[in-house]
Amino acid sequence: MSVCSDMRQKSIAVIIVAAGMGERASAGGAPDPKQYRNVAGVPVLKRTIEAFLDHPAIERIIPVIHATHSERYAALGVEDGRVLPPVIGGGTRQASVLEGLKALAPLRPDLVLIQDAARPFATLDLIGDVIAVLDLYEGALPALGVTDTIKRSLDGRMVVATEDRGQLYAAQTPQGFRFGQIFSAHMRASTIRRQFTDDAEIAEWAGLKVAMVMGGPDNIKITHPQDFERAERIVLGDLPMETRVGTGFDVHPFEPGDAVWLGGVRIPYKAKLKGHSDADVALHALTDAILGAIGEGDIGVHFPPSDMQWKGAASSVFLKHAGDLVTKAGGRIVNLDVTIVCEGPRIAQHVPAMQAVIAETLGIATNRIAIKATTSEKLGFTGREEGIVAMASASVEVPRVD
């Protein structure tokens, strides 16, 4: 149902629960917890915060983050006076919400909305509906009727009952409450040995009346790796996509030194690579491959060697720029493949570290990155150990422009 009511006289705060590690969504080797990964170029948590900043009735937003995520949160660049400094969450979602409620207590808001960071698509109408219901009830949450037939099983194998799906609803967030009541309920719940699945269950346990509003089909919770693909489709709409492939090639000679940079990793060696930047031949080839896939020239166009600001620069800067251009074009990187040709140094043991650097730089999962090494069987300048060659290919999915 949709309820209309003027709640402008009420002070409303939002708790955004972002203290999880997001292990299920990182199954593909993603470098960051799900709330800090990008959806169409914008981190999930930032999208969630901005969804509430867009609503004129919201006065305060307080993120609850993991103790090890302070730098990640700061990197979001959220700059709005309504967003309070983040607080550190607890060991469970329930404990994290309580920390947010405690932090809000001195402000004494009339109402509080509690939102999962991994739900970045709450609409203004949905938020407004939850707020409006709190005129009549002590709690409110968006929900969708269950359409699948639901079976009950005691052991995960044998069916013992079929549920009446007409009485079943899938709960979403934001869940809204009158602040004093849900704070008191959470404090009481923290004293017993029971973990509640969401805040509405705590409210129900405390005897509060909780009403439902119509949830949104796009108000998804990003939980598994494939949910990111659905989230991308929600943001980008139904634009037809096409896959483009780019290739890159680079070579650098050796000069006296004690280490080489390859794939963003410093590898001790009897020489170093000569170049204007850090001469990371692998990242240079990879950058050119990505730029080629989206028709953006080559690395020299964007970072000319005549420009002294790039003297000795880390090649990850160039790679990130190429990745940002993909995002700006509304695209995403599908997979990357790099081949390094040299007699030395030995590469295999450094491949996982290279994949991790590239994944973090581009905001993609490590399983989308292949790095291989081979020799030239002592032939040519690489065989004579005069330098290193790298070849790369990049597959990029971008909106089709006819």
Side-chain angles (χ1 to χ4, degrees):
M1 65 178 177
S2 178
V3 181
C4 296
S5 177
D6 183 1
M7 296 292 290
R8 287 175 294 177
Q9 74 275 14
K10 302 287 188 181
S11 60
I12 305 172
V14 180
I15 295 171
I16 297 182
V17 190
M21 295 300 290
E23 291 91 347
R24 284 179 291 177
S26 300
D32 285 317
K34 62 185 178 182
Q35 61 268 38
Y36 297 101
R37 288 177 59 187
N38 286 348
V39 169
V42 179
V44 171
L45 177 53
K46 188 172 185 179
R47 284 190 179 277
T48 304
I49 293 172
E50 289 176 344
F52 287 87
L53 287 174
D54 286 341
H55 198 288
I58 304 303
E59 295 183 6
R60 293 287 186 270
I61 297 174
I62 187 160
V64 183
I65 67 173
H66 193 274
T68 63
H69 292 171
S70 295
E71 290 185 4
R72 284 186 170 99
Y73 178 80
L76 297 179
V78 177
E79 298 180 358
D80 191 294
R82 290 172 290 170
V83 182
L84 302 175
V87 297
I88 302 303
T92 64
R93 183 190 184 280
Q94 182 178 326
S96 294
V97 172
L98 182 55
E99 292 303 315
L101 290 167
K102 289 177 179 178
L104 284 176
L107 301 178
R108 302 177 64 183
D110 297 306
L111 308 177
V112 62
L113 306 184
I114 302 172
Q115 171 74 352
D116 293 328
R119 289 190 191 270
F121 302 124
T123 65
L124 296 181
D125 286 343
L126 183 65
I127 295 168
D129 285 350
V130 171
I131 293 171
V133 165
L134 297 177
D135 245 353
L136 305 173
Y137 299 96
E138 296 155 326
L141 77 157
L144 290 176
V146 172
T147 57
D148 293 330
T149 297
I150 304 299
K151 302 292 184 180
R152 182 184 296 275
S153 174
L154 301 180
D155 60 4
R157 295 180 62 190
M158 300 300 298
V159 173
V160 297
T162 299
E163 304 292 345
D164 180 2
R165 67 183 181 188
Q167 298 181 14
L168 299 178
Y169 294 82
Q172 300 180 343
T173 63
Q175 298 182 359
F177 308 92
R178 297 170 187 175
F179 180 80
Q181 292 176 324
I182 195 64
F183 189 17
S184 175
H186 257 280
M187 290 293 289
R188 289 167 53 201
S190 69
T191 66
I192 67 172
R193 298 183 65 179
R194 173 181 170 183
Q195 284 298 311
F196 295 82
T197 57
D198 66 359
D199 306 291
E201 187 184 10
I202 291 178
E204 297 155 24
W205 168 79
L208 304 180
K209 294 181 179 180
V210 180
M212 295 187 297
V213 302
M214 179 63 71
D218 288 341
N219 187 29
I220 65 170
K221 183 178 181 181
I222 297 174
T223 304
H224 302 287
Q226 60 268 29
D227 294 334
F228 279 92
E229 295 183 10
R230 182 179 175 189
E232 294 269 359
R233 291 195 297 271
I234 291 171
V235 174
L236 299 174
D238 295 324
L239 289 174
M241 305 293 283
E242 64 182 10
T243 299
R244 298 183 182 180
V245 177
T247 61
F249 177 92
D250 198 33
V251 56
H252 282 277
F254 285 126
E255 65 178 7
D258 60 2
V260 298
W261 283 94
L262 284 173
V265 176
R266 186 179 185 274
I267 302 174
Y269 193 54
K270 62 184 179 182
K272 70 174 184 177
L273 290 171
K274 181 179 181 180
H276 185 64
S277 61
D278 62 6
D280 190 326
V281 64
L283 292 193
H284 290 184
L286 192 55
T287 300
D288 269 350
I290 296 172
L291 292 173
I294 57 175
E296 286 286 349
D298 61 26
I299 195 170
V301 172
H302 298 267
F303 303 96
S306 58
D307 190 339
M308 292 306 297
Q309 69 174 307
W310 309 122
K311 179 69 174 176
S315 295
S316 57
V317 173
F318 311 151
L319 183 63
K320 185 179 187 306
H321 175 72
D324 289 345
L325 289 178
V326 173
T327 299
K328 185 178 179 180
R332 69 184 186 98
I333 295 171
V334 177
N335 75 286
L336 305 171
D337 189 14
V338 184
T339 300
I340 301 169
V341 184
C342 61
E343 298 295 327
R346 297 294 183 181
I347 304 298
Q349 63 181 321
H350 301 288
V351 166
M354 294 181 188
Q355 289 175 308
V357 170
I358 294 168
E360 183 173 4
T361 301
L362 295 173
I364 62 175
T366 54
N367 64 2
R368 295 185 180 274
I369 304 162
I371 299 174
K372 308 180 296 294
T374 187
T375 71
S376 57
E377 300 294 340
K378 300 293 184 180
L379 299 176
F381 74 92
T382 56
R384 295 190 297 270
E385 299 188 46
E386 296 174 1
I388 297 179
V389 166
M391 299 169 286
S393 65
S395 297
V396 176
E397 192 176 59
V398 294
R400 188 176 73 232
V401 180
D402 294 324

Short mmCIF file of all heavy atoms in Angstrom, two decimals, residues 197-245:
data_model
loop_
_atom_site.label_atom_id
_atom_site.label_comp_id
_atom_site.label_asym_id
_atom_site.label_seq_id
_atom_site.Cartn_x
_atom_site.Cartn_y
_atom_site.Cartn_z
N THR A 197 16.54 -11.53 13.31
CA THR A 197 16.91 -11.43 11.90
C THR A 197 16.85 -10.01 11.37
O THR A 197 17.58 -9.67 10.44
CB THR A 197 16.01 -12.33 11.04
OG1 THR A 197 14.64 -11.95 11.24
CG2 THR A 197 16.19 -13.79 11.44
N ASP A 198 15.95 -9.19 11.91
CA ASP A 198 15.91 -7.80 11.49
C ASP A 198 15.29 -6.97 12.61
O ASP A 198 14.89 -7.49 13.66
CB ASP A 198 15.18 -7.61 10.15
CG ASP A 198 13.69 -7.95 10.24
OD1 ASP A 198 13.21 -8.34 11.32
OD2 ASP A 198 13.00 -7.81 9.21
N ASP A 199 15.22 -5.67 12.39
CA ASP A 199 14.73 -4.77 13.43
C ASP A 199 13.23 -4.88 13.63
O ASP A 199 12.73 -4.69 14.74
CB ASP A 199 15.12 -3.33 13.06
CG ASP A 199 16.61 -3.22 12.81
OD1 ASP A 199 17.38 -3.34 13.76
OD2 ASP A 199 17.00 -3.10 11.63
N ALA A 200 12.51 -5.23 12.56
CA ALA A 200 11.07 -5.44 12.71
C ALA A 200 10.78 -6.61 13.65
O ALA A 200 9.82 -6.57 14.42
CB ALA A 200 10.44 -5.68 11.34
N GLU A 201 11.62 -7.65 13.61
CA GLU A 201 11.40 -8.78 14.52
C GLU A 201 11.61 -8.36 15.96
O GLU A 201 10.88 -8.80 16.86
CB GLU A 201 12.34 -9.94 14.16
CG GLU A 201 12.03 -11.20 14.98
CD GLU A 201 12.99 -12.33 14.73
OE1 GLU A 201 14.02 -12.12 14.05
OE2 GLU A 201 12.72 -13.45 15.22
N ILE A 202 12.59 -7.49 16.20
CA ILE A 202 12.78 -6.98 17.56
C ILE A 202 11.57 -6.17 18.00
O ILE A 202 11.10 -6.29 19.14
CB ILE A 202 14.07 -6.12 17.63
CG1 ILE A 202 15.30 -7.02 17.47
CG2 ILE A 202 14.14 -5.34 18.94
CD1 ILE A 202 16.62 -6.28 17.48
N ALA A 203 11.06 -5.34 17.08
CA ALA A 203 9.87 -4.55 17.40
C ALA A 203 8.68 -5.45 17.71
O ALA A 203 7.94 -5.21 18.68
CB ALA A 203 9.55 -3.61 16.24
N GLU A 204 8.50 -6.50 16.91
CA GLU A 204 7.40 -7.44 17.14
C GLU A 204 7.56 -8.11 18.51
O GLU A 204 6.59 -8.25 19.28
CB GLU A 204 7.38 -8.50 16.03
CG GLU A 204 7.12 -7.95 14.63
CD GLU A 204 7.68 -8.85 13.55
OE1 GLU A 204 7.85 -10.06 13.82
OE2 GLU A 204 7.99 -8.34 12.47
N TRP A 205 8.76 -8.55 18.82
CA TRP A 205 9.07 -9.19 20.10
C TRP A 205 8.77 -8.26 21.27
O TRP A 205 8.30 -8.70 22.33
CB TRP A 205 10.54 -9.61 20.11
CG TRP A 205 11.10 -10.03 21.43
CD1 TRP A 205 10.94 -11.24 22.05
CD2 TRP A 205 11.92 -9.24 22.29
NE1 TRP A 205 11.61 -11.26 23.24
CE2 TRP A 205 12.23 -10.05 23.42
CE3 TRP A 205 12.45 -7.94 22.21
CZ2 TRP A 205 13.03 -9.58 24.47
CZ3 TRP A 205 13.23 -7.48 23.25
CH2 TRP A 205 13.52 -8.29 24.36
N ALA A 206 9.00 -6.96 21.07
CA ALA A 206 8.76 -5.97 22.12
C ALA A 206 7.30 -5.53 22.20
O ALA A 206 6.95 -4.68 23.03
CB ALA A 206 9.65 -4.75 21.89
N GLY A 207 6.45 -6.08 21.33
CA GLY A 207 5.04 -5.76 21.38
C GLY A 207 4.63 -4.54 20.58
O GLY A 207 3.50 -4.04 20.74
N LEU A 208 5.50 -4.06 19.71
CA LEU A 208 5.17 -2.89 18.88
C LEU A 208 4.38 -3.34 17.66
O LEU A 208 4.58 -4.43 17.14
CB LEU A 208 6.44 -2.16 18.45
CG LEU A 208 7.37 -1.70 19.57
CD1 LEU A 208 8.60 -1.00 18.97
CD2 LEU A 208 6.65 -0.77 20.54
N LYS A 209 3.49 -2.48 17.21
CA LYS A 209 2.69 -2.77 16.02
C LYS A 209 3.46 -2.33 14.78
O LYS A 209 3.80 -1.15 14.64
CB LYS A 209 1.35 -2.06 16.10
CG LYS A 209 0.45 -2.57 17.22
CD LYS A 209 -0.89 -1.84 17.24
CE LYS A 209 -1.78 -2.37 18.35
NZ LYS A 209 -3.09 -1.65 18.38
N VAL A 210 3.72 -3.28 13.90
CA VAL A 210 4.53 -3.03 12.71
C VAL A 210 3.66 -3.26 11.47
O VAL A 210 3.09 -4.34 11.30
CB VAL A 210 5.77 -3.94 12.66
CG1 VAL A 210 6.60 -3.66 11.41
CG2 VAL A 210 6.62 -3.76 13.92
N ALA A 211 3.58 -2.25 10.62
CA ALA A 211 2.78 -2.33 9.40
C ALA A 211 3.69 -2.45 8.18
O ALA A 211 4.87 -2.07 8.23
CB ALA A 211 1.89 -1.11 9.26
N MET A 212 3.13 -2.97 7.10
CA MET A 212 3.89 -3.12 5.86
C MET A 212 3.44 -2.09 4.82
O MET A 212 2.27 -1.71 4.77
CB MET A 212 3.70 -4.52 5.28
CG MET A 212 4.28 -5.62 6.14
SD MET A 212 4.22 -7.25 5.30
CE MET A 212 2.45 -7.47 5.12
N VAL A 213 4.39 -1.65 3.99
CA VAL A 213 4.09 -0.90 2.78
C VAL A 213 4.61 -1.71 1.60
O VAL A 213 5.40 -2.64 1.78
CB VAL A 213 4.71 0.51 2.80
CG1 VAL A 213 4.23 1.30 3.99
CG2 VAL A 213 6.24 0.44 2.78
N MET A 214 4.16 -1.37 0.43
CA MET A 214 4.60 -2.11 -0.75
C MET A 214 6.08 -1.88 -1.01
O MET A 214 6.54 -0.75 -1.15
CB MET A 214 3.79 -1.65 -1.97
CG MET A 214 4.19 -2.36 -3.26
SD MET A 214 3.87 -4.15 -3.21
CE MET A 214 2.07 -4.12 -3.27
N GLY A 215 6.83 -2.97 -1.04
CA GLY A 215 8.25 -2.88 -1.34
C GLY A 215 8.48 -2.67 -2.83
O GLY A 215 7.54 -2.63 -3.63
N GLY A 216 9.75 -2.53 -3.20
CA GLY A 216 10.09 -2.30 -4.61
C GLY A 216 10.81 -3.48 -5.20
O GLY A 216 11.71 -4.05 -4.58
N PRO A 217 10.45 -3.90 -6.42
CA PRO A 217 11.13 -5.04 -7.04
C PRO A 217 12.61 -4.77 -7.30
O PRO A 217 13.41 -5.72 -7.36
CB PRO A 217 10.36 -5.23 -8.35
CG PRO A 217 9.67 -3.92 -8.60
CD PRO A 217 9.37 -3.35 -7.26
N ASP A 218 12.99 -3.51 -7.44
CA ASP A 218 14.40 -3.18 -7.65
C ASP A 218 15.12 -2.87 -6.34
O ASP A 218 16.33 -2.57 -6.36
CB ASP A 218 14.53 -1.98 -8.59
CG ASP A 218 14.18 -2.34 -10.02
OD1 ASP A 218 14.19 -3.53 -10.36
OD2 ASP A 218 13.88 -1.41 -10.81
N ASN A 219 14.41 -2.92 -5.23
CA ASN A 219 15.03 -2.63 -3.94
C ASN A 219 15.76 -3.88 -3.44
O ASN A 219 15.48 -4.41 -2.36
CB ASN A 219 13.95 -2.18 -2.94
CG ASN A 219 14.53 -1.70 -1.62
OD1 ASN A 219 15.65 -1.21 -1.57
ND2 ASN A 219 13.77 -1.88 -0.55
N ILE A 220 16.69 -4.34 -4.23
CA ILE A 220 17.37 -5.61 -3.96
C ILE A 220 18.47 -5.43 -2.92
O ILE A 220 19.04 -4.35 -2.76
CB ILE A 220 17.98 -6.21 -5.24
CG1 ILE A 220 19.08 -5.30 -5.79
CG2 ILE A 220 16.91 -6.45 -6.29
CD1 ILE A 220 19.90 -5.93 -6.92
N LYS A 221 18.76 -6.52 -2.22
CA LYS A 221 19.91 -6.55 -1.32
C LYS A 221 21.02 -7.30 -2.03
O LYS A 221 20.87 -8.46 -2.42
CB LYS A 221 19.56 -7.25 -0.01
CG LYS A 221 20.72 -7.24 0.99
CD LYS A 221 20.31 -7.89 2.30
CE LYS A 221 21.45 -7.85 3.30
NZ LYS A 221 21.08 -8.51 4.58
N ILE A 222 22.14 -6.63 -2.23
CA ILE A 222 23.28 -7.25 -2.91
C ILE A 222 23.92 -8.23 -1.93
O ILE A 222 24.48 -7.84 -0.91
CB ILE A 222 24.27 -6.19 -3.39
CG1 ILE A 222 23.60 -5.28 -4.43
CG2 ILE A 222 25.53 -6.84 -3.97
CD1 ILE A 222 24.45 -4.12 -4.87
N THR A 223 23.83 -9.51 -2.25
CA THR A 223 24.30 -10.56 -1.36
C THR A 223 25.30 -11.47 -2.03
O THR A 223 26.32 -11.83 -1.44
CB THR A 223 23.11 -11.40 -0.85
OG1 THR A 223 22.16 -10.53 -0.21
CG2 THR A 223 23.56 -12.47 0.14
N HIS A 224 25.04 -11.85 -3.28
CA HIS A 224 25.89 -12.78 -4.01
C HIS A 224 26.57 -12.07 -5.19
O HIS A 224 26.12 -11.00 -5.63
CB HIS A 224 25.06 -13.96 -4.51
CG HIS A 224 24.36 -14.69 -3.40
ND1 HIS A 224 25.02 -15.51 -2.51
CD2 HIS A 224 23.04 -14.72 -3.03
CE1 HIS A 224 24.17 -16.01 -1.65
NE2 HIS A 224 22.96 -15.55 -1.93
N PRO A 225 27.66 -12.63 -5.73
CA PRO A 225 28.37 -11.98 -6.83
C PRO A 225 27.47 -11.62 -8.01
O PRO A 225 27.62 -10.55 -8.60
CB PRO A 225 29.44 -13.01 -7.22
CG PRO A 225 29.70 -13.77 -5.96
CD PRO A 225 28.37 -13.85 -5.26
N GLN A 226 26.52 -12.50 -8.36
CA GLN A 226 25.66 -12.22 -9.51
C GLN A 226 24.72 -11.05 -9.27
O GLN A 226 24.18 -10.48 -10.23
CB GLN A 226 24.86 -13.47 -9.90
CG GLN A 226 23.94 -14.00 -8.80
CD GLN A 226 24.61 -15.07 -7.94
OE1 GLN A 226 25.82 -15.05 -7.77
NE2 GLN A 226 23.81 -15.99 -7.43
N ASP A 227 24.53 -10.67 -8.01
CA ASP A 227 23.67 -9.52 -7.72
C ASP A 227 24.25 -8.22 -8.25
O ASP A 227 23.51 -7.27 -8.53
CB ASP A 227 23.44 -9.39 -6.21
CG ASP A 227 22.63 -10.55 -5.64
OD1 ASP A 227 21.85 -11.16 -6.41
OD2 ASP A 227 22.78 -10.85 -4.45
N PHE A 228 25.57 -8.17 -8.40
CA PHE A 228 26.18 -6.96 -8.95
C PHE A 228 25.79 -6.76 -10.41
O PHE A 228 25.61 -5.63 -10.86
CB PHE A 228 27.71 -7.00 -8.79
CG PHE A 228 28.17 -6.62 -7.43
CD1 PHE A 228 28.36 -7.59 -6.45
CD2 PHE A 228 28.39 -5.30 -7.09
CE1 PHE A 228 28.77 -7.25 -5.18
CE2 PHE A 228 28.81 -4.94 -5.81
CZ PHE A 228 28.99 -5.93 -4.86
N GLU A 229 25.66 -7.86 -11.15
CA GLU A 229 25.24 -7.74 -12.55
C GLU A 229 23.80 -7.22 -12.62
O GLU A 229 23.48 -6.37 -13.46
CB GLU A 229 25.37 -9.09 -13.25
CG GLU A 229 26.80 -9.58 -13.35
CD GLU A 229 26.91 -10.89 -14.10
OE1 GLU A 229 25.90 -11.32 -14.70
OE2 GLU A 229 28.02 -11.47 -14.11
N ARG A 230 22.93 -7.71 -11.73
CA ARG A 230 21.56 -7.21 -11.71
C ARG A 230 21.54 -5.73 -11.31
O ARG A 230 20.80 -4.93 -11.89
CB ARG A 230 20.71 -8.02 -10.74
CG ARG A 230 19.26 -7.57 -10.71
CD ARG A 230 18.42 -8.40 -9.76
NE ARG A 230 17.06 -7.86 -9.69
CZ ARG A 230 16.14 -8.27 -8.83
NH1 ARG A 230 16.43 -9.25 -7.97
NH2 ARG A 230 14.94 -7.72 -8.82
N ALA A 231 22.38 -5.37 -10.35
CA ALA A 231 22.43 -3.97 -9.92
C ALA A 231 22.89 -3.07 -11.06
O ALA A 231 22.36 -1.96 -11.24
CB ALA A 231 23.37 -3.82 -8.72
N GLU A 232 23.85 -3.54 -11.83
CA GLU A 232 24.31 -2.76 -12.99
C GLU A 232 23.16 -2.54 -13.97
O GLU A 232 22.99 -1.45 -14.52
CB GLU A 232 25.47 -3.48 -13.69
CG GLU A 232 26.75 -3.59 -12.88
CD GLU A 232 27.69 -2.43 -13.10
OE1 GLU A 232 27.35 -1.55 -13.92
OE2 GLU A 232 28.75 -2.41 -12.46
N ARG A 233 22.36 -3.58 -14.18
CA ARG A 233 21.23 -3.46 -15.11
C ARG A 233 20.19 -2.47 -14.59
O ARG A 233 19.56 -1.75 -15.36
CB ARG A 233 20.60 -4.83 -15.36
CG ARG A 233 21.48 -5.79 -16.15
CD ARG A 233 20.67 -6.97 -16.69
NE ARG A 233 20.11 -7.78 -15.62
CZ ARG A 233 20.73 -8.80 -15.05
NH1 ARG A 233 21.95 -9.15 -15.46
NH2 ARG A 233 20.15 -9.51 -14.11
N ILE A 234 20.00 -2.45 -13.28
CA ILE A 234 19.04 -1.51 -12.70
C ILE A 234 19.50 -0.08 -12.95
O ILE A 234 18.71 0.80 -13.31
CB ILE A 234 18.88 -1.76 -11.19
CG1 ILE A 234 18.15 -3.10 -10.96
CG2 ILE A 234 18.11 -0.63 -10.51
CD1 ILE A 234 18.13 -3.54 -9.51
N VAL A 235 20.79 0.18 -12.79
CA VAL A 235 21.32 1.53 -12.98
C VAL A 235 21.33 1.92 -14.45
O VAL A 235 20.92 3.01 -14.83
CB VAL A 235 22.75 1.64 -12.40
CG1 VAL A 235 23.35 3.00 -12.72
CG2 VAL A 235 22.72 1.43 -10.89
N LEU A 236 21.79 1.01 -15.29
CA LEU A 236 21.98 1.34 -16.70
C LEU A 236 20.70 1.18 -17.51
O LEU A 236 20.65 1.62 -18.67
CB LEU A 236 23.08 0.46 -17.30
CG LEU A 236 24.47 0.62 -16.66
CD1 LEU A 236 25.44 -0.40 -17.25
CD2 LEU A 236 25.00 2.04 -16.85
N GLY A 237 19.68 0.57 -16.91
CA GLY A 237 18.43 0.38 -17.64
C GLY A 237 18.55 -0.71 -18.67
O GLY A 237 19.36 -1.64 -18.56
N ASP A 238 17.78 -0.60 -19.72
CA ASP A 238 17.72 -1.64 -20.75
C ASP A 238 18.55 -1.29 -21.98
O ASP A 238 18.25 -1.69 -23.10
CB ASP A 238 16.27 -1.88 -21.17
CG ASP A 238 15.44 -2.43 -20.03
OD1 ASP A 238 15.99 -3.22 -19.26
OD2 ASP A 238 14.25 -2.07 -19.93
N LEU A 239 19.62 -0.51 -21.77
CA LEU A 239 20.48 -0.17 -22.89
C LEU A 239 21.08 -1.44 -23.49
O LEU A 239 21.59 -2.30 -22.76
CB LEU A 239 21.61 0.76 -22.43
CG LEU A 239 21.24 2.19 -22.06
CD1 LEU A 239 22.46 2.90 -21.49
CD2 LEU A 239 20.71 2.93 -23.27
N PRO A 240 21.02 -1.60 -24.79
CA PRO A 240 21.68 -2.76 -25.40
C PRO A 240 23.19 -2.64 -25.24
O PRO A 240 23.76 -1.57 -25.42
CB PRO A 240 21.26 -2.67 -26.88
CG PRO A 240 20.92 -1.23 -27.10
CD PRO A 240 20.37 -0.72 -25.80
N MET A 241 23.82 -3.75 -24.86
CA MET A 241 25.25 -3.74 -24.61
C MET A 241 25.98 -4.54 -25.68
O MET A 241 25.41 -5.45 -26.30
CB MET A 241 25.54 -4.34 -23.23
CG MET A 241 24.81 -3.67 -22.08
SD MET A 241 25.32 -1.96 -21.76
CE MET A 241 26.89 -2.24 -20.92
N GLU A 242 27.22 -4.20 -25.88
CA GLU A 242 28.06 -4.96 -26.80
C GLU A 242 29.42 -5.15 -26.16
O GLU A 242 29.86 -4.35 -25.33
CB GLU A 242 28.20 -4.26 -28.14
CG GLU A 242 28.90 -2.91 -28.08
CD GLU A 242 28.97 -2.22 -29.44
OE1 GLU A 242 28.31 -2.71 -30.37
OE2 GLU A 242 29.68 -1.21 -29.56
N THR A 243 30.10 -6.23 -26.54
CA THR A 243 31.42 -6.52 -26.01
C THR A 243 32.47 -6.10 -27.02
O THR A 243 32.41 -6.46 -28.20
CB THR A 243 31.57 -8.02 -25.70
OG1 THR A 243 30.61 -8.38 -24.71
CG2 THR A 243 32.97 -8.32 -25.16
N ARG A 244 33.44 -5.34 -26.54
CA ARG A 244 34.55 -4.91 -27.38
C ARG A 244 35.85 -5.48 -26.82
O ARG A 244 35.98 -5.67 -25.62
CB ARG A 244 34.64 -3.39 -27.43
CG ARG A 244 33.40 -2.71 -28.02
CD ARG A 244 33.61 -1.21 -28.08
NE ARG A 244 32.45 -0.51 -28.58
CZ ARG A 244 32.38 0.81 -28.72
NH1 ARG A 244 33.42 1.56 -28.38
NH2 ARG A 244 31.29 1.38 -29.18
N VAL A 245 36.80 -5.71 -27.71
CA VAL A 245 38.08 -6.29 -27.31
C VAL A 245 39.20 -5.37 -27.76
O VAL A 245 39.22 -4.89 -28.90
CB VAL A 245 38.28 -7.69 -27.92
CG1 VAL A 245 39.66 -8.24 -27.56
CG2 VAL A 245 37.18 -8.63 -27.45
#
